[in-house]
Amino acid sequence: MSEDRSTDNAAVPATGDAADAPETIAVTETETPGRRRLTTLLIIAAVLFGLDLLTKCLAVAYIDPDDPVPIIGDFARLDLVRNPGAAFSMATGMTWLLTLIAAAVVVGVIRIGRTLRSLWWAIGLGMVLGGAMGNLVDRIFRSPGPLQGHVVDFVAIGWWPVFNVADSAIVCGAILLVALTIFGFEPDGTRSGRKHTEETA
């Protein structure tokens, strides 16, 4: 009798929560990489934002605008400049518009980051986000007033316009994202060339 009961129990299909377990696990595994990439993006952005804010505070406190600090002669120096324009002193007469663009970039990057599966895209977008936040804070809180604030720049190298950590982060992040796009690396972690090959095989 005990053998018959064990046989009957083995034949009964799983129902309820047990039957749904594989599907639940699959959903969890699908969502986890996206959350990890968003976390990576936000950590990179926070580190760069903090570094940008710290270096700007030090520059304002210790660099005289009329007395640049030489690092490598006249080639590399610390030169405090208040920049009303975009990165590398471009579009100096459109401060309010640049402020709105920076705010839109911050919102857009965060929304895109929620769907990411690619580590490299997370790094690139994190750099752009950190830089955009750094300069956005200057435009909101520094003089001459909200949405008109001048960005603190202090790094001068050769003939290149004076810049800061945020500018460097934005440019390097943008270059990385362009390179990823050119070589076919998608935000979802796939590669467009491989995807096309699999579809035609």
Side-chain angles (χ1 to χ4, degrees):
M1 295 294 293
S2 59
E3 292 181 357
D4 293 340
R5 290 179 180 177
S6 60
T7 303
D8 293 341
N9 291 336
V12 176
T15 58
D17 295 338
D20 297 334
E23 182 179 355
T24 304
I25 294 174
V27 172
T28 303
E29 291 177 351
T30 303
E31 293 177 350
T32 299
R35 293 177 181 175
R36 289 178 180 174
R37 299 301 179 243
L38 179 60
T39 300
T40 300
L41 186 157
L42 295 177
I43 290 174
I44 292 173
V47 170
L48 289 172
F49 172 71
L51 181 61
D52 179 68
L53 183 61
L54 175 62
T55 53
K56 286 175 178 175
C57 290
L58 293 174
V60 171
Y62 295 105
I63 301 176
D64 185 346
D66 298 323
D67 187 20
V69 179
I71 303 298
I72 306 177
D74 292 333
F75 176 75
R77 62 195 184 279
L78 299 179
D79 188 3
L80 183 61
V81 175
R82 304 281 183 162
N83 176 21
F88 305 111
S89 302
M90 295 185 293
T92 56
M94 305 177 66
T95 306
W96 66 271
L97 179 60
L98 295 172
T99 303
L100 298 179
I101 293 174
V105 168
V106 170
V107 174
V109 169
I110 292 176
R111 291 188 64 180
I112 294 173
R114 297 172 62 184
T115 64
L116 283 181
R117 297 293 184 274
S118 169
L119 175 60
W120 288 108
W121 272 86
I123 293 173
L125 288 174
M127 296 173 71
V128 172
L129 177 60
M133 289 174 58
N135 284 341
L136 180 61
V137 167
D138 279 8
R139 299 189 189 285
I140 293 176
F141 295 105
R142 293 191 186 275
S143 60
L147 303 183
Q148 298 290 331
H150 293 180
V151 174
V152 174
D153 292 333
F154 59 91
V155 181
I157 299 178
W159 52 268
W160 203 256
V162 184
F163 60 96
N164 55 38
V165 173
D167 294 337
S168 300
I170 292 172
V171 172
C172 292
I175 291 174
L176 175 58
L177 295 178
V178 170
L180 291 172
T181 302
I182 291 175
F183 289 104
F185 292 95
E186 303 291 342
D188 62 1
T190 62
R191 192 169 181 179
S192 57
R194 293 181 179 178
K195 184 187 298 184
H196 178 73
T197 302
E198 292 176 356
E199 291 176 352
T200 57

